[in-house]
Amino acid sequence: MFSLAMSSIRRRPGRFIATLLSTFLGAAVIMTFSSMHDTAAAPGVDSLSKEPITIAANVVGGYGALLVFFAIASTLTVNVRQRGEEIALLRRSGATPAQIKRMVVAEAAAVGIIGTLLAIVPAMIGGEQLLGVFKDTGQVADGVDHVFGPIALSLGAAITLLASVGAAFLAVRRATREAAGGRKSRGRAKHFAGFAALLLGVGAVGSTFAMDKTDVALMAAPGYGAILLAAGFAILSPALLRLLLGALSGPLTLIAGASGHLTVHNMRQRATQLSSVLMPLILFISIATAIFYMQIIENDAAEAAGLTRSSDDKSIQTLNFVIAGIIVIFACIMLVNSLYAATTYRTREFGQQRLSGATPGQVLGMIGLESFILTVFGVFFATLSALAGIVSFSIVRTDTAVPDQSLTIWLSVVGIGAVATIVTSVGTAYRGLRTPAVEAVTLAA
């Protein structure tokens, strides 16, 4: 089955590019930070140097594993959905659901292995640079050498492969059931996971109030709370998006005319598919905003109190800014990757709309308006989850519910997310519209 999967990848490599990019970036992030464990375990490393790099590896391990799973799951879901007709044809040709599942899961495993292997050298370079940051801030001795060893390799491969195989299995199981004429999943498990994430997020944020303002780990609870809330909103985004579109249906049709009507109709039909785009958008804005603002609040509070920053404080600040930087880059690339894959998949749909009378301008207008709605929706729920973490941290740390910081950081993060969403969607759609409508329908069929 593995050889069959490799043959499928060689025949049509284009369909696996988005998934390969996800696994490559995910493995690179995991192995970069996991290499800090190898470095800390090397002989001759003093205890003061071990502490900050071990903390970095442990903290980002949790953040990174979550982001990697969501990123790989979103692109794999799009990949399997693109192959709906192929799966249906295989079922009609006599292939059993188990055979199709094994084929798709084997493909995902193969891509995961390739992505992990390609990520080894970039992860080595990234680990060197990360260790250099700790050396530059005086937290790690200059004589400590970077080590890329079995811990980095095993964790990177294990997390990437588990995410790839698990996401592929869940996606193809649903696709084979629908191809066999079965009922579409009502998403009870997904709703349960979404509500569970929200409840855990509320609990994590609430636990902030049980901590002391001088606690070194004060940022951990609101930070994880913001992530869990963002994940919950992202998982529940199809249902939330349908509610929003129901309220906006009339106004959008009135304001935007045919493009508004097309937008509402398509987004209501594709709410579940759009969650693969909303997930990286919400996580990107929420996590980056929460981490940056909490660290700035901490810095301002320490400066106002005239406190001398300890090595632990410097370590946490470095770690937070490194985490935020990695998240911004990783999540933004995943957002562009998911948008490109999802919009490219719709080439046939665009051709059908044009054959039904829609002009290229109307289709582009639909995509532009759709991207704008997605951006507003994602920004709202991302900001809501980030605020939960920021406000709880600010109350405990400074006794003030409303932080005294400008909106510059939030506007910058939102601006990056908005530009990535709208430019990628419209640009990819424009590229697809250059193909004649009949040809687009025929080639995609």
Side-chain angles (χ1 to χ4, degrees):
M1 189 58 69
F2 193 79
S3 60
L4 179 62
M6 291 299 297
S7 175
S8 175
I9 294 171
R10 285 195 297 267
R11 285 198 310 272
R12 299 187 64 182
R15 66 161 53 149
F16 298 99
I17 289 176
T19 305
L20 179 60
L21 180 59
S22 295
T23 56
F24 165 75
L25 290 171
V29 170
I30 295 296
M31 289 192 291
T32 293
F33 284 92
S34 296
S35 69
M36 295 299 101
H37 283 303
D38 290 303
T39 302
V45 179
D46 62 279
S47 58
L48 292 178
S49 296
K50 283 184 180 181
E51 185 178 3
I53 58 179
T54 302
I55 291 174
N58 290 334
V59 173
V60 180
Y63 284 100
L66 180 66
L67 287 172
V68 167
F69 177 79
F70 280 128
I72 294 175
S74 64
T75 49
L76 269 171
T77 300
V78 173
N79 178 281
V80 174
R81 191 177 297 120
Q82 289 175 333
R83 303 171 65 182
E85 292 187 8
E86 176 189 341
I87 291 172
L89 179 60
L90 288 172
R91 290 286 289 122
R92 291 192 295 269
S93 301
T96 66
Q99 289 173 327
I100 296 173
K101 289 173 186 175
R102 285 198 297 269
M103 180 189 73
V104 174
V105 169
E107 289 172 354
V111 172
I113 291 171
I114 294 170
T116 301
L117 292 174
L118 292 175
I120 291 175
V121 173
M124 289 180 175
I125 298 172
E128 287 274 8
Q129 297 299 315
L130 179 60
L131 185 63
V133 171
F134 285 105
K135 289 182 178 180
D136 292 341
T137 55
Q139 300 166 66
V140 174
D142 290 336
V144 175
D145 294 324
H146 177 250
V147 178
F148 188 92
I151 299 177
L153 285 170
S154 59
L155 283 178
I159 293 174
T160 304
L161 285 176
L162 283 173
S164 299
V165 171
F169 177 78
L170 293 175
V172 74
R173 185 177 65 171
R174 178 176 180 178
T176 51
R177 183 172 57 245
E178 293 177 6
R183 282 187 174 184
K184 289 188 177 182
S185 172
R186 295 183 179 180
R188 291 195 183 110
K190 193 173 183 179
H191 289 162
F192 176 81
F195 284 118
L198 290 178
L199 287 174
L200 290 172
V202 171
V205 169
S207 68
T208 308
F209 298 100
M211 303 175 74
D212 187 83
K213 67 170 61 180
T214 60
D215 196 320
V216 175
L218 179 59
M219 291 186 201
Y224 275 114
I227 291 175
L228 289 167
L229 289 172
F233 287 132
I235 293 169
L236 295 173
S237 58
L240 295 171
L241 186 59
R242 288 190 183 97
L243 289 175
L244 174 67
L245 291 171
L248 294 179
S249 177
L252 282 177
T253 303
L254 182 64
I255 294 172
S259 293
H261 176 75
L262 279 172
T263 300
V264 172
H265 175 75
N266 278 288
M267 292 185 74
R268 294 189 73 171
Q269 294 293 320
R270 299 178 59 255
T272 300
Q273 292 90 321
L274 291 173
S275 63
S276 63
V277 173
L278 285 169
M279 195 167 287
L281 177 63
I282 293 175
L283 288 172
F284 162 57
I285 295 174
S286 176
I287 298 173
T289 301
I291 290 176
F292 277 128
Y293 272 107
M294 284 192 292
Q295 185 59 59
I296 291 174
I297 291 170
E298 171 61 31
N299 291 349
D300 290 348
E303 184 178 347
L307 299 176
T308 301
R309 291 168 56 204
S310 66
S311 60
D312 286 340
D313 294 331
K314 292 179 181 178
S315 177
I316 291 172
Q317 175 175 311
T318 302
L319 179 60
N320 283 334
F321 282 128
V322 169
I323 290 172
I326 291 294
I327 287 170
V328 167
I329 296 171
F330 181 73
C332 192
I333 291 175
M334 287 303 98
L335 174 61
V336 172
N337 192 34
S338 297
L339 279 166
Y340 177 81
T343 308
T344 302
Y345 164 57
R346 300 174 64 186
T347 300
R348 184 185 184 190
E349 174 194 331
F350 298 154
Q352 291 172 331
Q353 289 171 347
R354 291 161 64 191
L355 291 176
S356 300
T359 65
Q362 288 174 331
V363 175
L364 278 179
M366 175 195 73
I367 295 298
L369 185 56
E370 182 181 290
S371 302
F372 176 77
I373 294 172
L374 284 178
T375 301
V376 172
F377 180 91
V379 167
F380 175 79
F381 285 104
T383 303
L384 193 63
S385 57
L387 278 176
I390 294 169
V391 171
S392 61
F393 176 79
S394 181
I395 291 174
V396 175
R397 186 68 180 88
T398 67
D399 299 319
T400 305
V402 181
D404 187 24
Q405 275 78 33
S406 71
L407 294 175
T408 303
I409 292 175
W410 178 78
L411 290 173
S412 300
V413 173
V414 169
I416 293 171
V419 169
T421 302
I422 295 172
V423 170
T424 304
S425 298
V426 175
T428 307
Y430 176 77
R431 182 171 172 267
L433 288 170
R434 295 174 64 182
T435 304
V438 174
E439 184 179 341
V441 173
T442 303
L443 290 176

